[in-house]
Amino acid sequence: MPTPARTSLDEIVLAGRTILEADGIDGLTMQRVAATVGVRPPSLYKRVEGRTHLVRLIANDVVGELAETMDAAATSGDPRHDLRRLAHAFRAFAQANPNGYSLIFGQLDEAERADPELNARASAALLRTAAALAGPDYGLDAARTVVAWANGFVSMELSGAFRLGGDVDRAFAYGIDRLSSSISDGAPLPR
Amino acid sequence: MPTPARTSLDEIVLAGRTILEADGIDGLTMQRVAATVGVRPPSLYKRVEGRTHLVRLIANDVVGELAETMDAAATSGDPRHDLRRLAHAFRAFAQANPNGYSLIFGQLDEAERADPELNARASAALLRTAAALAGPDYGLDAARTVVAWANGFVSMELSGAFRLGGDVDRAFAYGIDRLSSSISDGAPLPR
DNA sequence: ACCTGAACACCGTTCAAGT
DNA sequence: ACCTGAACACCGTTCAAGT
């Protein structure tokens, strides 16, 4: 005799993401998720292989949203301007979703990480813009430099690593300005 | 009737760091540590407040070693040269101690992180060198830019985030060259 | 077809009892 | 003074039994 479904995969992932953002990765327990969607913990295993799988599904959800955000930020046609907007959109996303951000860029087991294709989509706009600035020969190097800086800056900011005072917003603007000009094709080469 | 001590705090921290490096943060259980030092789990609590405290002690150990490594890499007197050597030393340290590195720069609860003063010592050489290059007005901004880039680059490399092929070593050299020249006082300002 | 209680293995941690 | 077994709370996960 069939029992009507009391929840769904989407509801589980959404509940998981909400709990993650509220209480961090350690607060994300199967019991919390089950209670949130109104079911007992064992029932979750009808829709999800286990906690590791659920974490990956949440990471996919977050990284997909990041991809949309980034795509929407790179539409001006001026790569210089786009790069600045991309950097600011990236930082704003991380500040709005700190624990979700850590899920994407933090160190996780392979099985917990978001799908590589989704990660590629999230960085596509930055790659394209950096390549437009740096030219074909150094496009990939330039993109990696910008992504590394943005990710490092934001994760240090989120973890409270900038402890020496000063204006963190100014440091961010300084960084994107210097990077933007120094990766640009035609900029003077390093002396 | 006193019982002779069968282990010590130093031995516990060393065992913890060895287990961390071998099996990651999830493999670092009180049971593993206790077995390694030849004691039952409850005995650890005579020397350590709990797992959180032990993680912090290990983080302190790692960050202290990083500080020594960095200090030793910045001795040439030429800030340009020092900056390059610092970046390479930083990356080499992370590659030699990947899980220890994640303990320092990954997202952890406040109680698990290394002492702020030790973190400051580890970044002192980079700060000093970047400030020497950028001059007093932009020293802090420049240092934050370089540290953010180095940390972001290394953590992405460790987590396997550079998936588009190409030469990662070249991207690292490219990044440090561009940063070094673009933060230097007297370099052309961003256009 | 989905849900549940009971059970298991494995954690961190406490504490009274041993020496 | 340090060490230990026993116990507790809390995880993730499995599974036979219910509807």
Side-chain angles (χ1 to χ4, degrees), chain A residues 25-26 80 84 102-103 105-110 112-114 116 119-120 123 127 134 137-156 159-160 162-168 170-172 174-175 177-191, chain B residues 26 80 84 102-103 105-110 112-114 116 119-120 123 127 134 137-156 159-160 162-168 170-172 174-191:
Chain A
I25 186 68
D26 288 340
R80 204 93 183 219
R84 183 177 284 104
S102 297
L103 213 58
F105 287 96
Q107 69 288 358
L108 288 171
D109 299 329
E110 184 68 24
E112 287 181 319
R113 268 207 288 276
N119 268 309
S123 52
L127 251 162
D137 289 352
Y138 293 98
L140 184 57
D141 294 332
R144 283 174 168 165
T145 300
V146 174
V147 172
W149 165 79
N151 173 26
F153 193 101
V154 166
S155 51
M156 291 184 71
S159 70
F162 292 139
R163 299 188 200 81
L164 296 179
D167 186 340
V168 175
R170 196 185 87 155
F172 191 79
Y174 171 95
D177 272 358
R178 299 304 161 117
L179 281 169
S180 180
S181 71
S182 69
I183 69 171
S184 291
D185 198 13
L189 284 174
R191 291 160 288 186
Chain B
D26 289 339
R80 203 91 183 221
R84 184 178 283 103
S102 297
L103 213 59
F105 287 96
Q107 69 288 356
L108 288 172
D109 299 329
E110 185 67 26
E112 288 181 318
R113 268 206 289 276
N119 269 310
S123 53
L127 251 162
D137 289 351
Y138 293 97
L140 183 57
D141 294 332
R144 283 174 169 165
T145 300
V146 174
V147 172
W149 165 79
N151 174 26
F153 193 101
V154 166
S155 50
M156 290 184 72
S159 71
F162 293 140
R163 298 187 201 82
L164 296 180
D167 186 340
V168 176
R170 195 185 88 155
F172 191 80
Y174 171 95
I176 191 62
D177 272 357
R178 299 305 162 115
L179 281 169
S180 180
S181 71
S182 70
I183 69 172
S184 291
D185 200 12
L189 284 174
R191 289 160 289 185

Side-chain angles (χ1 to χ4, degrees), chain B residues 6-7 12 29-47:
Chain B
R6 244 165 261 185
T7 184
I12 289 170
T29 68
M30 298 301 268
Q31 330 223 1
R32 276 288 303 274
V33 174
T36 303
V37 303
V39 106
R40 299 286 173 178
S43 298
L44 297 176
Y45 293 79
K46 279 280 153 179
R47 332 220 175 239

Side-chain angles (χ1 to χ4, degrees), chain A residues 56-77:
Chain A
R56 191 170 71 241
L57 292 175
I58 297 171
N60 285 346
D61 192 54
V62 175
V63 82
E65 203 174 296
L66 174 60
E68 286 175 31
T69 303
M70 296 298 275
D71 284 343
T75 55
S76 79

